[in-house]
Amino acid sequence: MSEQSTPILDRALGRLDLSDDARKMLQHAHKRIQMSVPIRRDDGTLEVFLAWRVQYNTVLGPAKGGVRFHPGVTLEEATELARWMTIKCALMDLPFGGGKGGIQVDPKSLSRQELERLSRSFVRELHNLMGPDTDIPAPDVNTNPRIMGWMADEYDQIARARTPAAITGKPLALGGSEGRVAATGQAALYVLQEWAKRSDKKPKDITVAVQGFGNAGAHFAMLAHKAGFKIVAVSDSGGAIYAKEGLDPEPIHTEKEKGKGLDKVYSDTSVRDGKDHQELETNKLLALDVDVLALAALQDAVTVDNVGDIQAGVILEIANGPVSPDADDTLYGRGVTVLPDVLVNAGGVTVSYYEWIQGRTGDRWSAEEVHDRLKARFDRIAPQCFDRAEKDGSSMRDAAYAIAVERISAAIESRGDSCYFKG
Ligand code: NAD
């Protein structure tokens, strides 16, 4: 991955009738910030972690995107994820650009106190370059409301002000929004329901396997089960389980939550620890003969190496980038419908937007109000993507990119000045 755009974005830039200005601006990240984040370990030694924040594009509004704690975080990965956020926010018609950041760390190797010091240290390094009108972080892989609470507190301490719109995904007590935790899974379900409606299929006849039973995947699985879909398998990094007749994800989630304990930030337990279901080799879940494969773990779960094993007719991309570009082309060629990440997992950033509005206005919305707004937005945007794919004869991903890029391009053009030089 490079700082330049990727094949999918290039395809959109090449295909659409855009100005040169828009094409050039979208091919480059606006800001890529590298930080050395020091913390004092519990044994008194100092350790320095590498971290990045990428603000890919800010034409539509402040950069918006998560912060990831993972040993595999790199500048290239953060750039790619920030680019996807740019597309996602534009697609969802939100007044945000795209950003992403992360710390190269195995957070599970830190004590809870060290994790708090690391989260605060990250904010100290980034403070001048973030804020409600500049760049608004949120949770991502291995970060959660608790960590956002520490970050928000650090931001406020330095600013000597209460600024609830500086960070989203905060705990409710600190100005978080109702509905944020389940938002990504909830909206992924809306997209799947739209596909089912257009395919004239009933949820009870649709089998689903879910890779990644974390925040996004578990909520999706629970809500999809309640909506009548048949969840036959779920997995996490500890293993996978399978039940031909379908399983109820709720008790599995409850068990996993118990594994967090009072003083822990991460769960110690796996879906495999529930003894009621047949165990499955983790990677075999991807090859199950199901109607829908929901990918909710990490990038590149499906690549050219295993794309031949995929039997599902539909892939629901709840994670960011779970299907590599080459595998995506192969699946499209085989007639597999890939419902793309930039639409499917956009529920999280949409409710983050609602949290940002509440933070700025001091208003508090009920869970019902958040839910109604989320549904209304997906009822508007998801059909636009399906219709555009049909009209262009393209994949859903190309359709989503086309809508997003046209929105950003219109904003770049509206900012003006190129017309003065056109004679
Ligand atoms: P999370 O850390 O809560 O969950 C990730 C899950 O994936 C964990 O259960 C982990 O055990 C599992 N996992 C990791 N490797 C696996 C493997 N090889 N096989 C099976 N399971 C594996 O993270 P999350 O917040 O749920 O995010 C998951 C994905 O969704 C990420 O790509 C993230 O960027 C994306 N996403 C999340 C949100 C959100 O609101 N949580 C919003 C948008 C996008």
Side-chain angles (χ1 to χ4, degrees):
M1 288 180 278
S2 75
E3 194 252 344
Q4 298 296 320
S5 60
T6 52
I8 305 153
L9 181 54
D10 278 344
R11 203 150 63 206
L13 296 178
R15 209 160 36 94
L16 301 169
D17 184 22
L18 305 173
S19 68
D20 277 354
D21 290 12
R23 205 165 273 124
K24 281 180 194 152
M25 282 194 73
L26 280 167
Q27 276 175 334
H28 296 277
H30 175 54
K31 275 200 185 83
R32 304 208 294 170
I33 305 146
Q34 176 163 319
M35 294 163 280
S36 300
V37 179
I39 62 158
R40 182 76 55 200
R41 298 296 297 254
D42 291 345
D43 66 4
T45 57
L46 185 89
E47 190 151 354
V48 180
F49 294 92
L50 265 182
W52 294 274
R53 183 74 185 172
V54 177
Q55 297 163 358
Y56 193 83
N57 188 285
T58 52
V59 168
L60 291 175
K64 183 86 195 78
V67 180
R68 179 173 288 201
F69 287 0
H70 196 273
V73 167
T74 61
L75 173 59
E76 287 69 31
E77 183 192 66
T79 306
E80 179 80 275
L81 290 161
R83 188 186 294 120
W84 289 336
M85 284 304 296
T86 304
I87 298 294
K88 196 183 300 180
C89 292
L91 172 67
M92 295 309 298
D93 211 2
L94 306 177
F96 290 140
K100 204 76 164 197
I103 306 182
Q104 202 175 72
V105 60
D106 174 6
K108 294 176 189 170
S109 69
L110 303 181
S111 71
R112 186 189 146 121
Q113 287 72 23
E114 290 169 339
L115 192 64
E116 177 173 344
R117 290 200 280 273
L118 184 68
S119 308
R120 290 179 179 277
S121 188
F122 177 82
V123 169
R124 283 198 294 279
E125 299 307 323
L126 191 64
H127 195 271
N128 290 344
L129 293 164
M130 61 179 279
D133 295 310
T134 325
D135 183 1
I136 308 140
D140 193 71
V141 173
N142 288 332
T143 54
N144 52 27
R146 184 169 295 176
I147 291 174
M148 293 306 114
W150 296 331
M151 288 188 172
D153 180 59
E154 191 67 25
Y155 186 88
D156 282 0
Q157 303 245 10
I158 299 168
R160 301 190 71 79
R162 289 283 166 255
T163 39
I167 288 177
T168 61
K170 302 181 298 297
L172 270 178
L174 215 57
S177 179
E178 294 283 356
R180 174 64 182 86
V181 176
T184 302
Q186 176 71 70
L189 175 62
Y190 294 149
V191 178
L192 184 63
Q193 284 170 324
E194 180 70 21
W195 166 81
K197 190 176 87 188
R198 287 174 179 245
S199 311
D200 214 10
K201 288 187 195 299
K202 299 260 171 302
K204 70 177 176 41
D205 301 325
I206 299 175
T207 52
V208 185
V210 185
Q211 183 207 35
F213 200 73
N215 177 45
H219 282 98
F220 165 74
M222 290 188 287
L223 291 163
H225 171 74
K226 275 198 195 123
F229 290 86
K230 200 193 232 187
I231 310 293
V232 293
V234 297
S235 69
D236 58 21
S237 51
I241 51 174
Y242 174 73
K244 191 164 180 276
E245 298 313 316
L247 49 80
D248 181 356
E250 189 130 6
I252 303 166
H253 180 247
T254 307
E255 273 312 301
K256 272 202 79 151
E257 285 296 292
K258 274 191 209 151
K260 281 188 182 160
L262 266 184
D263 60 341
K264 291 189 209 138
V265 182
Y266 304 111
S267 176
D268 290 342
T269 54
S270 162
V271 294
R272 205 170 38 105
D273 298 331
K275 296 289 171 224
D276 299 342
H277 307 290
Q278 181 189 333
E279 269 191 44
L280 191 71
E281 222 178 276
T282 314
N283 286 335
K284 292 246 167 80
L285 178 137
L286 299 176
L288 286 175
D289 184 8
V290 286
D291 298 306
V292 177
L293 178 61
L295 300 173
L298 289 174
Q299 281 111 293
D300 292 334
V302 178
T303 65
V304 280
D305 296 331
N306 63 355
V307 68
D309 301 336
I310 303 296
Q311 299 197 62
V314 175
I315 292 189
L316 187 70
E317 288 191 325
I318 299 177
N320 284 307
V323 177
S324 74
D326 293 354
D328 197 37
D329 288 343
T330 307
L331 290 167
Y332 185 64
R334 271 177 36 197
V336 176
T337 300
V338 178
L339 300 171
D341 49 6
V342 288
L343 172 67
V344 170
N345 70 27
V349 70
T350 303
V351 175
S352 272
Y353 165 55
Y354 300 155
E355 181 176 337
W356 179 75
I357 297 176
Q358 292 171 76
R360 303 200 83 150
T361 58
D363 204 359
R364 301 290 278 166
W365 300 352
S366 67
E368 201 179 17
E369 189 166 357
V370 170
H371 189 259
D372 289 350
R373 285 177 188 256
L374 182 69
K375 177 144 184 6
R377 192 163 289 253
F378 273 81
D379 280 351
R380 174 162 70 90
I381 306 286
Q384 281 177 7
C385 283
F386 282 94
D387 291 347
R388 180 71 185 248
E390 215 171 286
K391 176 169 153 273
D392 291 358
S394 74
S395 69
M396 281 286 286
R397 193 187 314 278
D398 280 347
Y401 269 66
I403 295 168
V405 166
E406 283 172 357
R407 280 198 180 120
I408 301 167
S409 173
I412 292 171
E413 280 298 287
S414 304
R415 279 171 185 266
D417 106 1
S418 69
C419 58
Y420 304 138
F421 301 94
K422 282 183 182 155

